[in-house]
Amino acid sequence: MADILATYLLAFGIIGFAATEAPTNIKYEPNWDSLDSRPLPLWYDQGKIGIFIHWGVFSVPSFSSEWFWYHWQGPKQWPSILNFMDKNYPPGWTYADFAEQFDTPAGIYNPDHWAEIFNASGARYVVQVAKHHEGFTSWPSKHSFNWNSMDVGPNRDLVADISTAVRKYPNLRYGIYHSLFEWFNPVYLQDEANGYKTQDFPFTKSLPELYELVNAYKPDVVWSDGCPSTDAYWNSTYFLAWLYNESPVKDTVVTNDRWGDNCVCKHGGFLTCSDQYNPGTLNVRKFENAMKLDGASWGYRRDMKLSDVISIERLLQTIAKTISCNGNILINVGPTKDGTIPPIFEERLHQMGSWLAVNGEAVYKSRPWLHQNDTVTQGVWYTQREELNAVYAFVFTWPEKVLKLSAPFSTPQTKVTLLGSYTAEFNYTYSPSAGLFIDIPPIPFNRMPCEWLWVFKLTNVKG
């Protein structure tokens, strides 16, 4: 019902999906009615694709997932992790000992190479995990003594490394992920024991870190996570009011919805709702699908198998489904402890980039169409570019002889082309009762514009 209502409202111009630049003369108040009224900066909606980087102390054991410490020494200890530690590390080993092995050897770690890969992928922004729930900060935070990347492990500012490298490319913007809480921080645990009636942890740790990150590194994305208790405990609305009104990135920054357990999927800039959120139906509010290349973990795993890694076909299909429903996609990579991106991840990103080089017209600056997917031919999803008077059909399986589309209505001016194809136009027939029938001529394999997921451009059609 929500999808039908949204489509109706869009059709009659009651709502729209084109983002606008945030007005600079509005003062946002520290309440959700005011904060939620702020338009998303245009660059975010137009960019569509981002890269997520999960890299921290958890990359050293590189076993199970980035939740390794919690599953090792938290309230519900995982037998597989206890067994892993018994067999591979001496008695008395602590999680802090892993930080000593979180190094970035010269000649191996190269942030410029990372940025080169991200740029080649066709992504438009990069979000680095600056602090996960383990509390280790990837910058020399004044609020994380001896538990940061300058004091232990790499002995360098990893946030400065990546942000500087990424910003060498005009197409890329830089953002940070920051966990509000920390599993084993005693100040947080005391607030929790007090029923969150005290706020020592937000005011002495989380909030100072956020102000520090924004002022020092000027990120265009502030991706919050780890938010047990409400936004009132975290003082989130006051931080966001400062971020939107006074911060050095007030006109360009975008935020997500994880600012308290009462506002997830309700309040903030774009909605994430849950990890790998991909509703498959039209969302009136902008959402982001944060998803993993390794299906089992956000962080690097030494025991990762090829079968755990998403195929390029499935990745491109996920992109098409996401953007057709008014979403962006944030694609995660987990680097190794010594600062290399596993070749299988690099391959996926280069494959994506080669596909976007052909089909980016249907992705960047696109908007949802009146129909998200075709109801007759399975595996066909749509976007539109109004300024080009074009609708794009993302076709998951190459059609034999004829592609039948039930959603578009042709007009006397309708033209059908294939993005990247040497064929100027495709012949078609149209029946109001049956739909659009596109003739698919034989195309030599070496003349196909791409290897996976093809995009047909339909100009001057109606829905």
Side-chain angles (χ1 to χ4, degrees):
M1 177 64 72
D3 189 35
I4 296 173
L5 176 60
T7 303
Y8 172 85
L9 295 174
L10 177 62
F12 287 91
I14 300 172
I15 62 170
F17 289 99
T20 58
E21 292 294 353
T24 57
N25 60 341
I26 293 179
K27 182 80 169 179
Y28 295 98
E29 301 297 327
N31 61 72
W32 288 119
D33 285 343
S34 178
L35 296 170
D36 286 344
S37 72
R38 178 182 182 262
L40 283 173
L42 189 61
W43 73 263
Y44 179 78
D45 180 67
Q46 292 185 342
K48 305 298 182 187
I49 298 175
I51 302 296
F52 218 174
I53 308 170
H54 273 69
W55 191 38
V57 175
F58 51 81
S59 306
V60 179
S62 54
F63 182 78
S64 182
S65 77
E66 70 288 347
W67 280 62
F68 180 91
W69 189 12
Y70 188 78
H71 292 153
W72 173 28
Q73 297 183 327
K76 295 182 180 180
Q77 299 173 341
W78 286 25
S80 60
I81 294 180
L82 295 175
N83 184 56
F84 172 81
M85 291 302 301
D86 287 342
K87 290 185 175 181
N88 293 284
Y89 295 91
W93 189 272
T94 69
Y95 192 75
D97 293 325
F98 284 123
E100 298 289 346
Q101 299 180 352
F102 182 31
D103 55 1
T104 50
I108 296 179
Y109 168 58
N110 184 352
D112 286 328
H113 181 55
W114 287 26
E116 180 185 352
I117 295 170
F118 302 151
N119 183 64
S121 77
R124 291 295 184 256
Y125 58 101
V126 175
V127 178
Q128 177 184 2
V129 171
K131 188 191 79 170
H132 199 257
H133 312 321
E134 64 187 15
F136 185 89
T137 67
S138 293
W139 79 99
S141 176
K142 297 176 182 177
H143 310 284
S144 189
F145 174 72
N146 207 37
W147 194 232
N148 66 74
S149 64
M150 187 65 78
D151 291 343
V152 64
N155 300 126
R156 59 192 298 163
D157 186 339
L158 301 178
V159 171
D161 283 352
I162 305 303
S163 61
T164 300
V166 162
R167 285 172 170 144
K168 291 179 182 178
Y169 293 91
N171 281 334
L172 288 175
R173 290 176 181 259
Y174 175 80
I176 58 97
Y177 163 111
H178 174 269
S179 174
L180 292 174
F181 90 130
E182 298 171 16
W183 290 315
F184 302 116
N185 189 299
V187 181
Y188 168 74
L189 293 176
Q190 186 59 57
D191 278 353
E192 182 185 41
N194 294 339
Y196 299 108
K197 294 178 181 178
T198 54
Q199 293 176 282
D200 293 335
F201 186 76
F203 285 107
T204 64
K205 191 69 164 64
S206 280
L207 289 169
E209 287 174 346
L210 281 168
Y211 286 109
E212 189 176 54
L213 279 167
V214 171
N215 284 317
Y217 304 101
K218 300 174 178 57
D220 283 324
V221 182
V222 176
W223 214 102
S224 182
D225 196 17
C227 52
S229 192
T230 66
D231 62 282
Y233 167 74
W234 296 109
N235 208 48
S236 298
T237 56
Y238 288 87
F239 169 75
L240 290 173
W242 170 82
L243 187 68
Y244 295 166
N245 291 327
E246 303 172 37
S247 78
V249 289
K250 62 184 179 66
D251 297 325
T252 58
V253 71
V254 295
T255 64
N256 65 340
D257 55 350
R258 302 187 185 187
W259 298 99
D261 59 10
N262 61 321
C263 55
V264 175
C265 213
K266 297 178 182 177
H267 300 297
F270 56 84
L271 306 180
T272 63
C273 300
S274 62
D275 291 349
Q276 303 182 97
Y277 179 67
N278 191 10
T281 57
L282 185 66
N283 269 32
V284 175
R285 283 199 54 180
K286 188 75 180 180
F287 71 93
E288 185 175 81
N289 178 2
M291 50 81 66
K292 313 184 291 278
L293 290 181
D294 173 8
S297 176
W298 298 91
Y300 174 69
R301 295 182 304 127
R302 286 179 280 180
D303 58 342
M304 178 180 64
K305 300 178 179 64
L306 179 61
S307 59
D308 297 328
V309 179
I310 191 172
S311 67
I312 183 59
E313 292 87 354
R314 186 175 158 209
L315 174 60
L316 296 178
Q317 291 171 13
T318 303
I319 292 172
K321 291 178 181 179
T322 300
I323 64 175
S324 72
C325 296
N326 199 32
N328 275 25
I329 189 165
L330 189 62
I331 302 164
N332 182 73
V333 297
T336 65
K337 74 177 186 67
D338 51 7
T340 63
I341 295 177
I344 188 64
F345 294 162
E346 182 176 353
E347 180 184 53
R348 287 292 178 273
L349 296 183
H350 276 284
Q351 289 171 326
M352 181 177 73
S354 70
W355 182 85
L356 284 165
V358 174
N359 300 292
E361 177 185 323
V363 176
Y364 309 122
K365 300 182 180 181
S366 70
R367 295 175 57 198
W369 191 40
L370 293 174
H371 307 272
Q372 279 56 68
N373 61 303
D374 204 86
T375 57
V376 170
T377 300
Q378 299 299 306
V380 176
W381 292 73
Y382 296 103
T383 62
Q384 67 169 326
R385 291 277 298 273
E386 290 180 313
E387 76 279 14
L388 301 178
N389 202 14
V391 170
Y392 302 91
F394 294 73
V395 178
F396 293 178
T397 303
W398 182 253
E400 294 185 10
K401 296 184 179 180
V402 175
L403 173 61
K404 180 180 179 180
L405 302 177
S406 63
F409 298 167
S410 76
T411 68
Q413 293 77 37
T414 295
K415 294 181 180 180
V416 179
T417 56
L418 178 67
L419 292 186
S421 174
Y422 69 94
T423 302
E425 292 183 31
F426 286 72
N427 294 323
Y428 66 89
T429 59
Y430 175 71
S431 165
S433 61
L436 193 67
F437 294 81
I438 302 171
D439 295 329
I440 307 297
I443 300 177
F445 180 79
N446 62 353
R447 302 296 296 274
M448 292 292 284
C450 53
E451 296 181 56
W452 333 270
L453 203 159
W454 301 268
V455 181
F456 285 83
K457 180 179 181 179
L458 316 173
T459 56
N460 297 298
V461 295
K462 297 181 179 180

